[in-house]
Amino acid sequence: SPLGRAKVNVRGAGLEALTDDYGRFAFREVAAGEYQMEVSYLGFASQQATVTVGAGETAAREFQLALEGAPGQERQAGSDVVLLEKFTVVADRAMTAQALAMNEQRHASNIKNVVAFEELGEQGQENIGNYVRFLPGVVVMDNGDDAGSVALGGFPEEMSSIMLDGGEVASTGVGAESSRTLLIADVPMVNVERIEISKVPTPDMPAAGLGGSMNIITKSLLGIKSPSFSYQMYMNFNGRDGITFDGGPRQSTSPLTPKYAQPSFNATLVFPVGRRLAFSVGASRTWARRSTDDTPVESVNRNLRPENPDGTARDLAVIEALWVQQANISTTENIQAGVEVKLSGQDTLALGYQYRDTSGKTGEYGVTTRFSSGTINFPAGDAGYTDSYGMGTATRSGRLELSSKNNFELSSQTSHATLHYRHLGPEWRAEVKGT
């Protein structure tokens, strides 16, 4: 597979270049003579070679790099070619992704942190914020139990840009008001290869990202030699309920009372057709139930007046106790499709589409107990409940209320399509992106 961003150095001549995405490099107007060349790439063993350039001639040299410590590395006597065992190819996806990320960061034109997605551990497909919250310079604003928005470089979250394959993800704000702030639960995240955190904006970045930008890069398709299919299925449990497949206790509404807990999954298929065309499809679905025992809200109203309006003594007593509990079930669904075609030796075209649907169902119910005694009807303390002091009766009285309120569903749908055309010629380079 071609290696982009490999460093090519001509010793003693002060010449240095980086390979393009096709692994190509060139030095122009080099004087005739013999030169020592070295190619290096983080995670791979460097390679040296001697190249002789004749007057008025063009010299070409190909290099083959192997992973550091790969079994079967040998050098032929008097040769600079690294021979690999037949099964030893650059196919270790975790190592390859890590090497790509490290080299992208090493040779970036600005201050940038690049992390391979596989290196961040498995956090499910619910929220991209679970993966980036511990990266340098990234602050995740939590929205309850979930990652809400991202702030970069010390700027507010509305001044931080989130992109997918170089295109800004659409945002409508958080809550009822429209703004530039993006709820990161709405960001699609299928078939991700690496995440780039740019600390300093460059001229090609959106002006809205004064604090920086987070660019989510999906996996490149060209260069993959054989079809691959990856999948994962898992369940979300919580420490309160333990490992159980039961849907939980009965709640105030039927959508919040499932019979069984539902599994989550993600799957990705990459299918190359020859060396010039490749397709990818992916899907994921997550399901999580929040334990209701973790959400009770308890409050107490007390009488703090030492005497009644008529001057008689009054007990400092509890007049009202409230207990409210919240149930929540959240789901996310992702669909991804992509195609990449090599139009010529210098031109490539990539099309990508991602769709994400999020849904959160919430219901609240509670119990209110009101205690009272006495013969005078007036508001107790500052609570303002006219029925909390006996309603004019001489006997002790009270009231027990069961309530169900704030039953609602919050949902969002995000569609993100990208078009990326690149021309990498020997003289001119052009790149066109559309989102």
Side-chain angles (χ1 to χ4, degrees):
S1 299
L3 284 180
R5 306 295 190 274
K7 182 179 179 181
V8 184
N9 181 42
V10 181
R11 295 181 177 179
L15 299 176
E16 188 175 286
L18 297 177
T19 60
D20 61 20
D21 292 338
Y22 301 135
R24 304 176 303 185
F25 65 94
F27 297 102
R28 305 184 185 282
E29 300 180 1
V30 178
E34 187 176 275
Y35 297 91
Q36 295 292 325
M37 300 184 66
E38 181 180 14
V39 180
S40 60
Y41 193 93
L42 287 176
F44 290 75
S46 61
Q47 186 181 149
Q48 299 82 32
T50 301
V51 178
T52 301
V53 180
E57 297 179 353
T58 299
R61 181 59 191 250
E62 292 187 358
F63 293 86
Q64 298 178 4
L65 303 184
L67 291 172
E68 289 183 347
Q73 279 196 39
E74 298 177 356
R75 288 184 182 272
Q76 290 182 337
S79 172
D80 292 309
V81 177
V82 178
L83 299 181
L84 306 179
E85 292 182 2
K86 187 174 182 180
F87 62 85
T88 306
V89 295
V90 184
D92 187 338
R93 300 307 301 170
M95 181 61 189
T96 302
Q98 182 186 30
L100 287 170
M102 294 173 66
N103 279 275
E104 187 70 28
Q105 176 173 320
R106 180 184 183 187
H107 301 299
S109 59
N110 59 346
I111 302 176
K112 179 187 294 186
N113 290 106
V114 184
V115 182
F117 197 68
E118 290 89 344
E119 295 299 308
L120 297 176
E122 182 53 54
Q123 303 287 338
Q125 301 288 316
E126 288 88 356
N127 196 310
I128 194 70
N130 297 330
Y131 290 88
V132 302
R133 66 167 61 248
F134 298 115
L135 295 183
V138 177
V139 177
V140 175
M141 310 294 185
D142 287 329
N143 181 16
D145 287 346
D146 301 320
S149 57
V150 169
L152 303 174
F155 282 76
E157 57 265 37
E158 63 268 18
M159 295 184 181
S160 300
S161 176
I162 299 181
M163 299 183 291
L164 180 60
D165 287 332
E168 282 193 277
V169 180
S171 62
T172 58
V174 177
E177 296 183 2
S178 297
S179 70
R180 290 180 174 178
T181 304
L182 173 64
L183 190 66
I184 54 179
D186 297 337
V187 178
M189 50 178 298
V190 178
N191 204 24
V192 176
E193 180 179 78
R194 65 183 187 272
I195 299 175
E196 301 177 352
I197 306 294
S198 296
K199 308 296 182 62
V200 180
T202 56
D204 61 329
M205 293 183 180
L210 295 178
S213 64
M214 181 175 73
N215 192 13
I216 304 168
I217 309 296
T218 56
K219 295 179 180 178
S220 177
L221 303 180
L222 292 179
I224 298 177
K225 298 181 179 180
S226 59
S228 65
F229 177 69
S230 60
Y231 64 93
Q232 185 181 51
M233 182 171 289
Y234 56 95
M235 295 285 293
N236 288 317
F237 301 103
N238 60 71
R240 178 76 65 172
D241 295 337
I243 300 178
T244 175
F245 296 97
D246 183 74
R250 183 176 179 83
Q251 305 298 332
S252 55
T253 61
S254 57
L256 294 171
T257 313
K259 188 175 182 180
Y260 300 106
Q262 299 180 19
S264 302
F265 73 91
N266 61 77
T268 303
L269 172 66
V270 178
F271 190 84
V273 182
R275 302 181 61 181
R276 291 181 172 271
L277 181 64
F279 299 91
S280 71
V281 292
S284 71
R285 185 181 188 275
T286 67
W287 186 92
R289 180 177 62 84
R290 184 179 177 184
S291 175
T292 54
D293 290 339
D294 291 337
T295 62
V297 177
E298 300 175 354
S299 62
V300 173
N301 292 322
R302 300 176 182 270
N303 169 48
L304 299 180
R305 292 182 176 179
E307 59 181 27
N308 294 320
D310 58 1
T312 59
R314 185 178 183 185
D315 294 334
L316 302 179
V318 175
I319 60 174
E320 184 181 57
L322 300 93
W323 181 88
V324 179
Q325 183 170 268
Q326 185 182 85
N328 177 269
I329 292 179
S330 60
T331 59
T332 66
E333 296 177 348
N334 290 265
I335 298 176
Q336 177 268 335
V339 58
E340 195 167 349
V341 56
K342 192 171 184 180
L343 302 175
S344 67
Q346 301 175 349
D347 302 271
T348 60
L349 179 66
L351 299 173
Y353 177 77
Q354 293 217 31
Y355 174 81
R356 182 175 176 91
D357 185 296
T358 67
S359 174
K361 300 180 178 65
T362 301
E364 291 183 356
Y365 60 96
V367 177
T368 301
T369 304
R370 296 178 177 176
F371 310 92
S372 60
S373 63
T375 60
I376 303 176
N377 179 16
F378 68 95
D382 293 328
Y385 296 114
T386 57
D387 60 340
S388 62
Y389 199 74
M391 296 299 292
T393 63
T395 59
R396 296 180 180 274
S397 63
R399 189 165 69 184
L400 181 67
E401 298 177 355
L402 297 178
S403 63
S404 176
K405 58 182 180 179
N406 294 335
N407 296 308
F408 59 90
E409 177 179 358
L410 293 177
S411 63
S412 68
Q413 295 78 36
T414 302
S415 297
H416 187 88
T418 57
L419 180 147
H420 190 186
Y421 168 77
R422 286 183 298 178
H423 172 78
L424 300 177
E427 299 289 343
W428 294 92
R429 297 187 179 185
E431 191 168 10
V432 179
K433 293 181 179 179
T435 304

